[in-house]
Amino acid sequence: MQAQREIADTQTQLDELHAALSSGTFIDARRMLHSLAAPDIAHLLESSPPPTRHVLWQLIDEAEEGAILQELSDELQAQFLRNMDAREVTVVTEGLETDDVADILQQLPDKILQEVLSSMNQQDRTRLEKILTYPDDTAGGLMNTDTITVRTRHSMDVVLRYLRLHNEIPEMTDNLIVVNRADDFIGLLPLRTVLVSDPGAIVREMMRTDVEAIPADMPSADVANLFERHDWVSAPVVDAGGKLLGRITIDDVVDVIREDADHSLMSMAGLAGDEDTFAPILVATPRRAVWLGINLITAFIASSVINLFQGTIDKVVALAVLMPIVASMGGVAGAQTLTVMVRGMAQGQIGRSNRNWLINREFLVGLLNGALWSLVVAVAASLWFDDARIGLIIAAAMVINLITAALAGSIIPLAMRRLQIDPALAGSVVLTTVTDVVGFLSFLGLATLFYA
């Protein structure tokens, strides 16, 4: 209930701010803007058309810009950063976590990026360069280099005194990372263990060695799966030689999960995962035109199959009435299978050991559903057109198409992953073509045989 009230209060504030902007009372708008937290301001920016965004950004204090930038999507970050020089970028990123700064800097042109790095002190520059060497969709790109490490020989009392020397510890620190003199990762020492253990106990005795560090080149989706499986708050990141590089925290993993979900949803419609809801017309149009063009080609393929049987359709008008049913049922059945497969692949649940079982399962599901609904449609079509033959034809075609749809929905994403093509992006287009072509071909082909 508390969370719902907070969301409602925030929405009310956003509505009031929009009203102030619409009426031109910018002083009131600035005052209300300053009362909002950075995530709420970022939400407001992403929920506003481009002209309003420009006005809002001018009302934000420079000291708050960095905290707001890190909450924005990559596309909006790039839009605002495009108008900043190296000095402005340096100012807005001051005080942010290293991984958040890296995310922002990755949106900059190389020239501006080098200027920003040159303006930093040696320690900050070294930390950022370490992160920037890794792609942003890997563990190395997600990690923060701000860690607290201890050695195996220290006692709990020494560890506590060491912690008290810090003015603050990094956010979401649930474990201290145990390393040797060469910075090789050895294990984790939970903070709760430090707090409740005998002060004389040694780190070597109390640390956990059953947790493996995350390789820096691990894909971010796999990192998210590990966090979900083990309920981690943070996890250490190491290079190929086992040396500690940094750590990943749950807040970054939540961002990965959200971005992956957005990507899968938008890709099903042939759109980019970071598509801006309020993108300008000239930006949104070409993005959508590409996949509309591809879909048009597949539609022509399906239409050409229908054209092959024009003579049969002319003889039996009922075929034109019933034809969409076969294709539609196949399309829905295929989409169900495709969705299950893409979801399983995204969660890392599908591999060589179980993919054949899944394909067989989907085949049997398609067969049973085909048998069930083909019987229903056969009876309905026979009574509708007073022709038992047409009921038999549509029943056989539906069984064929639902089995094909189930097989295609399970095999297409596996084949696309092997070809390094995103199945969420292109799978539905290929699947629709297959179910349309097979549906029309089986229905009209069988009708040609029966009515020839």
Side-chain angles (χ1 to χ4, degrees):
M1 292 296 294
Q2 177 65 27
Q4 291 179 338
R5 282 197 298 270
E6 289 180 359
I7 292 173
D9 291 343
T10 300
Q11 188 59 53
T12 300
Q13 290 176 308
L14 298 180
D15 291 341
E16 291 174 352
L17 184 54
H18 269 303
L21 290 174
S22 300
S23 63
T25 53
F26 294 113
I27 294 177
D28 290 341
R30 183 189 291 272
R31 177 180 53 78
M32 285 186 283
L33 199 62
H34 290 170
S35 69
L36 296 175
D40 294 328
I41 297 175
H43 175 69
L44 176 62
L45 288 168
E46 294 191 335
S47 304
S48 303
T52 306
R53 287 174 181 166
H54 177 73
V55 175
L56 287 174
W57 190 255
Q58 301 304 313
L59 298 176
I60 295 171
D61 287 342
E62 191 176 64
E64 298 294 324
E65 289 179 352
I68 295 167
L69 271 177
Q70 68 176 325
E71 301 290 342
L72 296 174
S73 65
D74 290 347
E75 184 169 343
L76 272 189
Q77 278 186 9
Q79 288 181 22
F80 289 121
L81 289 169
R82 212 175 287 136
N83 300 318
M84 296 184 187
D85 57 26
R87 185 201 66 81
E88 291 173 316
V89 174
T90 302
V91 171
V92 300
T93 55
E94 187 175 354
L96 298 182
E97 296 284 346
T98 310
D99 56 337
D100 293 327
V101 177
D103 291 339
I104 292 174
L105 295 188
Q106 285 170 340
Q107 308 297 325
L108 297 174
D110 288 341
K111 181 180 178 182
I112 301 295
L113 172 60
Q114 295 305 320
E115 290 179 9
V116 173
L117 291 175
S118 299
S119 66
M120 296 179 172
N121 61 52
Q122 181 63 41
Q123 184 182 35
D124 290 342
R125 183 165 62 250
T126 300
R127 287 179 173 181
L128 276 170
E129 287 175 341
K130 185 186 296 185
I131 297 176
L132 291 172
T133 56
Y134 296 97
D136 59 357
D137 59 350
T138 63
L142 289 175
M143 70 180 180
N144 192 331
T145 57
D146 194 5
T147 61
I148 296 183
T149 59
V150 294
R151 303 280 174 78
T152 56
R153 69 176 185 275
H154 294 148
S155 66
M156 296 297 107
D157 183 51
V158 170
V159 171
L160 281 170
R161 284 190 280 116
Y162 171 64
L163 290 175
R164 294 190 185 104
L165 293 176
H166 294 77
N167 293 326
E168 59 180 4
I169 62 176
E171 291 185 5
M172 301 186 195
T173 299
D174 59 328
N175 295 299
L176 306 181
I177 304 176
V178 184
V179 296
N180 59 20
R181 290 183 179 274
D183 274 339
D184 295 322
F185 171 76
I186 298 176
L188 296 176
L189 179 64
L191 271 181
R192 62 179 181 272
T193 300
V194 176
L195 295 174
V196 301
S197 296
D198 186 328
I202 305 301
V203 170
R204 184 184 298 105
E205 301 168 350
M206 309 305 296
M207 70 179 186
R208 293 184 56 191
T209 58
D210 58 339
V211 178
E212 293 188 10
I214 296 176
D217 58 356
M218 176 179 286
S220 58
D222 294 342
V223 173
N225 287 333
L226 285 175
F227 267 75
E228 180 184 9
R229 191 181 309 154
H230 299 288
D231 293 329
W232 288 340
V233 174
S234 67
V237 179
V238 296
D239 63 14
K243 292 189 181 300
L244 180 68
L245 296 175
R247 69 187 183 114
I248 297 173
T249 52
I250 187 62
D251 57 325
D252 295 312
V253 174
V254 169
D255 290 340
V256 170
I257 295 172
R258 184 187 64 189
E259 289 169 5
D260 284 350
D262 288 344
H263 171 76
S264 296
L265 177 64
M266 299 295 280
S267 292
M268 287 294 186
L271 299 173
D274 58 353
E275 178 84 9
D276 180 7
T277 305
F278 296 92
I281 294 172
L282 295 180
V283 174
T285 300
R287 287 176 175 173
R288 302 186 188 187
V290 173
W291 284 98
L292 286 173
I294 294 173
N295 188 70
L296 180 60
I297 294 172
T298 64
F300 273 116
I301 294 173
S303 297
S304 65
V305 173
I306 298 173
N307 187 58
L308 294 174
F309 302 95
Q310 184 175 352
T312 305
I313 296 173
D314 289 340
K315 291 180 183 179
V316 187
V317 178
L319 297 177
V321 177
L322 298 173
M323 192 165 51
I325 296 176
V326 179
S328 175
M329 291 293 286
V332 172
Q336 291 172 339
T337 302
L338 181 70
T339 301
V340 170
M341 294 295 291
V342 170
R343 177 177 176 270
M345 290 164 62
Q347 294 180 338
Q349 297 174 339
I350 299 177
R352 292 183 179 180
S353 62
N354 56 20
R355 64 188 180 191
N356 289 337
W357 187 94
L358 279 173
I359 293 172
N360 291 332
R361 192 276 302 269
E362 292 302 322
F363 169 81
L364 293 175
V365 169
L367 176 62
L368 292 175
N369 271 324
L372 170 64
W373 293 109
S374 65
L375 179 62
V376 174
V377 173
V379 173
S382 298
L383 295 175
W384 187 0
F385 294 100
D386 193 22
D387 186 346
R389 285 184 300 175
I390 203 164
L392 181 62
I393 291 167
I394 194 171
M398 188 172 291
V399 171
I400 293 171
N401 203 25
L402 261 66
I403 291 175
T404 301
L407 292 175
S410 55
I411 293 173
I412 286 173
L414 293 172
M416 286 187 166
R417 182 170 67 175
R418 181 178 291 271
L419 297 173
Q420 297 184 337
I421 300 173
D422 185 357
L425 181 62
S428 59
V429 176
V430 177
L431 177 65
T432 300
T433 305
V434 171
T435 55
D436 283 353
V437 168
V438 172
F440 295 143
L441 189 61
S442 59
F443 183 51
L444 297 177
L446 289 171
T448 301
L449 291 174
F450 275 81
Y451 289 101

